[in-house]
Amino acid sequence: MPTAPDRSSFPDTRAWIRALPALGGATPAPADTLPDSPTALFLDWIEEAADAGVPEPHAAALSTVDADGNPDARFLLLKDVTEQGFWFSGDTRSPKGRDLAANPVAALSFYWREQGRQVRVRGTVVEGEPALSARDFRERSVTARAVAAASRQSEVLDDPAEYERTVAAAVARIEADPDFVSENWRAWCIVPDSVEFWQADPGRRHVRRLYRREADRWIREVLWP
């Protein structure tokens, strides 16, 4: 792991940031051929990241837009990948839930630093069937389910003791009824219009390959770095 330069030895923050090492680790060569759909290539890349020991390779930044057109982003965990799209979950009362209700579009951004790879997904968001949302909720740990059910996500917390009491009550409820599912929990799917695969090169001759949906088929293109 490269050592970060001493910030005090630089004239300003900009110079220090420019000196930070980038693209650590070996950069795999890009594939010469591409599968017909982005799903297959994404699964190959995330499996290679997992096999290489990349921490949380299923972590991604979800970007949304609210009713006023203001963007927001947060990191979450990918839950599934199907031919329909890329799945994640959350509470409808959360900022992302409210954003998606107002503007059902989103982007997912994956970054696997050790392999010099990014994947950028953009598309329309649809809700999964109730049974899928329920399965997603029940697959969480008891504590995670209790927090999801009890938390007023992103609201101001004036009394930490109230939070502890509310979560404890939710834990008791779930332990008494293991089939309990929060009515506000949703599984969402980004149905992609485009998926870009970005392979870094130490000399900045990056390789960018784009899948772009056109009607019922994928158009594959190579982009300038």
Side-chain angles (χ1 to χ4, degrees):
M1 181 73 67
T3 301
D6 181 5
R7 184 178 172 188
S8 64
S9 63
F10 291 84
D12 54 28
T13 300
R14 177 184 177 85
W16 176 72
I17 289 176
R18 289 284 296 171
L20 292 174
L23 303 178
T27 302
D32 294 327
T33 59
L34 296 176
D36 291 335
S37 105
T39 302
L41 184 56
F42 178 83
L43 290 174
D44 284 345
W45 276 28
I46 194 171
E47 184 175 358
E48 289 172 11
D51 289 344
V54 174
E56 292 193 326
H58 54 326
L62 173 72
S63 302
T64 54
V65 180
D66 69 15
D68 296 322
N70 298 310
D72 200 358
R74 75 289 289 160
F75 284 89
L76 47 66
L77 297 180
L78 180 73
K79 293 301 183 69
D80 196 8
V81 184
T82 66
E83 284 303 325
Q84 183 179 8
F86 296 75
W87 292 85
F88 60 97
S89 58
D91 195 297
T92 58
R93 300 165 296 179
S94 67
K96 65 176 172 288
R98 295 194 298 269
D99 287 357
L100 293 173
N103 276 315
V105 294
L108 271 179
S109 304
F110 297 85
Y111 178 47
W112 301 311
R113 182 199 65 183
E114 292 84 351
Q115 298 179 307
R117 286 177 169 178
Q118 298 179 45
V119 179
R120 301 168 61 204
V121 181
R122 295 191 301 173
T124 302
V125 178
V126 298
E127 286 189 5
E129 296 293 328
L132 181 59
S133 295
R135 174 188 171 185
D136 184 274
F137 187 82
R138 294 192 186 105
E139 287 177 342
R140 297 165 65 87
S141 69
V142 170
T143 301
R145 277 180 278 166
V147 171
S151 178
R152 299 189 289 272
Q153 190 179 119
S154 298
E155 293 185 11
V156 175
L157 176 62
D158 293 318
D159 181 6
E162 179 189 6
Y163 171 76
E164 296 297 337
R165 290 193 300 270
T166 305
V167 171
V171 167
R173 178 179 183 180
I174 291 168
E175 289 177 340
D177 179 11
D179 291 329
F180 167 77
V181 175
S182 169
E183 63 181 5
N184 300 300
W185 196 256
R186 295 291 185 277
W188 287 291
C189 179
I190 298 182
V191 181
D193 299 319
S194 67
V195 183
E196 180 186 330
F197 294 84
W198 187 93
Q199 175 69 71
D201 176 83
R204 294 301 190 264
R205 295 171 60 98
H206 308 312
V207 177
R208 297 173 62 190
R209 291 185 167 91
L210 177 70
Y211 284 81
R212 177 172 52 84
R213 193 189 296 274
E214 191 171 279
D216 59 348
R217 66 193 183 103
W218 288 103
I219 305 298
R220 291 168 290 178
E221 299 170 324
V222 178
L223 306 180
W224 280 73

